């Protein structure tokens, strides 16, 4: 095993001293790769590494990964979304190099892959007619392979001087987004030997490009993925393993491990199977139906059988295997008290057993991490300090980390995450509860949103409407960031909408009205479908999320929400959210707490005094919208100077007109070429009329 000397300059760390000599083979470096960690939802975000909520990786975060006991870091990465006319942006290559250098300078191995990246390769593992996420399409395997070769030639050239601590990975989960078409693979379009021939072509395009750049790349380790990176598809990879120009010994295979019922399932039991909260003997003892044990996928028996099969198929033939991603979510919104504690203990035990079995069978386990710390998270090391507090590098799941460290002979780190998590996520309830949401904008001239969101993975085809109890109130004439700005406070407004995301996360929403119209507790029943006042779906059979948004500028206020029901055509209803257990996700300018439900929708000690808004009712103004033009008719109590303003949904002024109003009826006209939702504000003296409109 060869190591360069760490602690000298970064450039000299990375340069090979004798490129004429081959780098170590995969079986030689496997024992030193140890435990792996993913910097997930970051460098693979199409176009912007911070777009999914994580900061750009810095030295403190990467050092924390090393200090936690990891020795391999997988860097999921996008390339196509950072390329123009087939050329990867030089600045992006430098950004990726920054992260790679941080990893290697901390004495760890870096696995740099080509991730989903809008599916340019991953969703098109076929030649000719086939299915991607959009349906039946045609894709040229030769064209995709040529693109794969071109990108990897550019990547390999950038990193040609790096030693064996840098590893390339050809793809991520090729074919995982195959749609459900009644095929042979649990309903998905079948991934058979014919399609494996195409995937082999893509892997060989990567290998060809890397080897062609010479130097250390001639024998650099390259990881190749099984179809969908699923363990049960590993035989296809074994039977058609890519040919490496470097010869045998310089590749690794990759699979991922998410036993669905234990690792990912969280939106309710199904008729084909139940969610597994618990694992083996880490169970309350009275809930065997929700315990992963015996021969269930993810149990001790299945882990040993599956990993033993990978050892026979690959490692025993000189091909170590990387478990590029593995993990199990925390069901923070489903469980509480002792049940939540037992669930978190079960997760820690599962992680420990899984990585121990991986190590024994020639596998490098890399745990998945998204940076989030809410319901359904995998996170062990904190990085989103702006959202969750603390400092970068804090261990958020001590017990899971220690279970894995034990498997690798490392001493336990101090701390207790389970008890604090249980305390934080368990509410002692006293009868019927409701949700109290508080909103406070920060910007003075830009629209901001406060979101209450319920994540789903459900078929809503049986439902025809949704109902809920809602009341909102607040002050829409401040605060202003710049109190000296002329007109500060003139353009405050707030409106509320019900939204959903369905199908391929298509957004639809329906307005519930401006805040000044929502000051009395009322039961709202919104029908599903197309048309005025209805909530549309892209695909009701595939609901992803539903929620309520408050959009506002210069707004401070509150909302009371309770009893969200889903209605069927026969007049019966199912409860979507009663708020009697836990609050849902709140984002943006929204914060909240569970409160005792009441008959008027009051929220007790409000963040503000509940006062009527300063915006006049819509009935005082008649608005006519025509293509390219908006006109408003209104009454003025006396002759005065006024202004008419159009703002878009971001709170930006898009048209403005000063006018001299006379006592009595008046009309003002604004012209704009923009389309979409807008706010019309007509002000004369102390009078102000506001109306939401849609520009045509």
């Amino acid at each position: 095993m060869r190591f360069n000397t760490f602690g000298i300059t970064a450039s000299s760390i990375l340069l090979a001293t004798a490129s004429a000599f081959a780098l170590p083979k995969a079986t030689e470096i496997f024992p030193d790769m140890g435990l792996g960690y993913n910097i997930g939802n970051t460098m693979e975000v199409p176009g912007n590494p911070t777009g999914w909520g994580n900061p750009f990786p810095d030295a403190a975060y990467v050092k924390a990964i090393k200090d936690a006991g990891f020795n391999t870091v997988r860097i999921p990465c996008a390339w196509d979304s950072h390329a123009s006319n087939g050329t990867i942006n030089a600045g992006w290559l430098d950004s990726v190099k920054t992260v790679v250098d941080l990893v290697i300078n901390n004495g760890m191995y870096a696995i740099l892959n080509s991730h989903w990246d809008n599916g340019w390769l991953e969703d098109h593992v076929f030649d000719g007619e086939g299915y991607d996420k959009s349906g039946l399409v045609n894709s040229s395997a030769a064209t995709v392979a040529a693109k794969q070769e071109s990108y990897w030639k550019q990547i390999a050239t950038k990193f040609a001087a790096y030693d064996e601590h840098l590893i390339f990975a050809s793809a991520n989960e090729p074919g995982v987004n195959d749609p459900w078409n009644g095929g042979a693979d649990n309903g998905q379009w079948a991934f058979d030997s014919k399609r494996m021939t195409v995937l082999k072509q893509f892997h060989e395009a990567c290998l060809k490009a890397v080897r062609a750049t010479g130097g250390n790349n001639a024998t650099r380790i390259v990881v190749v993925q099984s179809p969908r990176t699923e363990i049960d598809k590993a035989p296809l990879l074994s039977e058609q393993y890519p040919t490496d120009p470097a010869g045998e010994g310089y590749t690794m295979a990759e699979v991922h491990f998410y036993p669905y019922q234990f690792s990912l399932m969280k939106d309710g039991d199904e008729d084909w199977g139940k969610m597994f909260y618990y694992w083996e003997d880490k169970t309350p003892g009275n809930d065997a139906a929700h315990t992963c044990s015996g021969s269930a996928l993810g149990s001790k028996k299945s882990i040993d059988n599956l990993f033993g099969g990978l050892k026979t198929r690959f490692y025993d033939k000189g091909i170590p295997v990387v478990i590029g991603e593995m993990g199990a979510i925390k069901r923070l919104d489903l469980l509480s008290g002792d049940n939540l504690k037992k669930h978190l203990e079960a997760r820690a035990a599962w992680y420990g057993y899984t990585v121990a079995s991986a190590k024994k069978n020639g596998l490098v386990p890399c745990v998945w991490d998204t940076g989030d710390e809410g319901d359904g998270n995998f996170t062990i090391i904190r990085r989103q300090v702006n959202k969750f507090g603390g400092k970068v590098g804090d261990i958020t799941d001590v017990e899971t980390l220690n279970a894995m460290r034990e498997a690798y002979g490392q001493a336990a780190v101090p701390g207790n995450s389970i008890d604090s998590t249980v305390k934080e996520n368990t509410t002692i309830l006293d009868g019927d509860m409701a949700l109290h949401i508080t909103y406070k904008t920060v910007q003075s001239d830009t629209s901001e949103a406060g979101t209450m969101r319920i994540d789903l993975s459900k078929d809503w085809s049986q439902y025809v409407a949704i109902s809920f109890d809602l009341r909102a109130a607040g002050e829409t004439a401040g605060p202003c960031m710049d109190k000296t700005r002329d007109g500060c406070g003139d353009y405050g407004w707030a409106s509320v909408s019900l939204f959903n995301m369905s199908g391929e996360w298509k957004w639809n929403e329906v307005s519930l009205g401006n805040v000044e119209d929502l000051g009395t507790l009322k039961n709202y029943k919104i029908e599903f479908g197309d048309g005025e006042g209805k909530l549309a779906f892209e695909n009701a059979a595939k609901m992803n999320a539903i929620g309520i948004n408050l959009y506002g500028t210069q707004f401070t206020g509150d909302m009371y929400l309770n009893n969200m029901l889903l209605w069927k055509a026969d007049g019966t209803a199912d409860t979507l959210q009663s708020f009697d257990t836990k609050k849902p996700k709140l984002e943006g300018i929204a914060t909240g707490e569970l409160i005792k439900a009441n008959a008027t929708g009051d929220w007790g000690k409000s963040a503000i005094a509940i006062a009527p808004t300063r915006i006049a009712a819509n009935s005082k103004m008649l608005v006519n919208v025509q293509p390219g033009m908006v006109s408003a008719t209104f009454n003025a109590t006396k002759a005065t100077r006024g202004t008419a303003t159009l703002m878009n949904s971001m709170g930006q002024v898009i048209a403005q007109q000063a006018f001299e109003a006379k006592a009595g009826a008046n009309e003002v006209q604004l012209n704009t070429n923009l389309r979409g939702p807008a706010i019309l504000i007509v002000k004369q003296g102390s009078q102000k009329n506001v109306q939401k409109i849609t520009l045509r």
Side-chain angles (χ1 to χ4, degrees), residues 172-333:
N172 176 51
E173 294 178 341
V176 76
N177 290 318
D178 289 343
W180 295 80
N181 294 299
D185 299 339
N186 295 321
Q188 281 185 292
W189 183 38
F191 206 116
D192 53 17
S193 59
K194 181 178 180 181
R195 293 185 67 192
M196 184 61 225
T197 301
V198 175
L199 179 55
K200 179 183 179 184
Q201 181 180 351
F202 295 167
H203 288 328
E204 289 180 342
C206 171
L207 287 163
K208 176 183 177 183
V210 172
R211 302 308 180 214
T213 60
N216 284 346
N217 287 331
T219 52
R220 184 176 309 285
I221 303 302
V222 177
V223 183
V224 295
Q225 294 68 35
S226 72
R228 301 187 188 131
T229 327
E230 294 176 353
I231 291 179
D232 62 357
K233 296 290 183 294
L236 287 174
L237 176 64
S238 177
E239 293 161 6
Q240 295 193 59
Y241 200 77
T243 300
D244 184 0
E248 296 183 354
Y250 296 101
T251 63
M252 293 182 175
E254 181 179 354
V255 298
H256 293 174
F257 191 51
Y258 296 113
Y260 181 71
Q261 288 171 262
F262 181 76
S263 288
L264 301 174
M265 188 176 177
K266 72 183 186 77
D267 293 310
D269 295 334
E270 300 286 356
D271 54 7
W272 53 263
K274 296 183 181 298
M275 295 179 286
F276 291 152
Y277 313 136
Y278 316 114
W279 186 76
E280 298 292 352
D281 62 339
K282 301 297 182 181
T283 174
N286 59 353
D287 197 358
H290 292 106
T291 300
C292 180
S293 60
S295 59
L297 184 62
S299 67
K300 289 182 179 180
K301 182 178 180 180
S302 77
I303 291 169
D304 290 339
N305 287 340
L306 290 169
F307 290 5
L310 292 173
K311 179 179 185 296
T312 301
R313 191 167 282 114
F314 296 102
Y315 186 80
D316 290 347
K317 298 177 181 177
I319 305 170
V321 178
V322 175
I323 303 180
E325 297 175 17
M326 57 160 281
I329 61 172
K330 299 170 190 160
R331 271 98 166 190
L332 302 180
D333 283 356

Side-chain angles (χ1 to χ4, degrees), residues 278 331-332 334-344 418-419 421-428 582:
Y278 316 114
R331 271 98 166 190
L332 302 180
L334 287 171
L335 302 169
S336 61
D338 289 341
N339 288 338
L340 177 56
K341 182 174 183 178
K342 191 61 66 175
H343 162 64
L344 296 175
I418 289 180
D419 287 347
T421 301
V422 171
K423 181 178 180 180
E424 180 181 348
N425 288 273
T426 299
T427 302
I428 300 175
K582 295 197 65 178

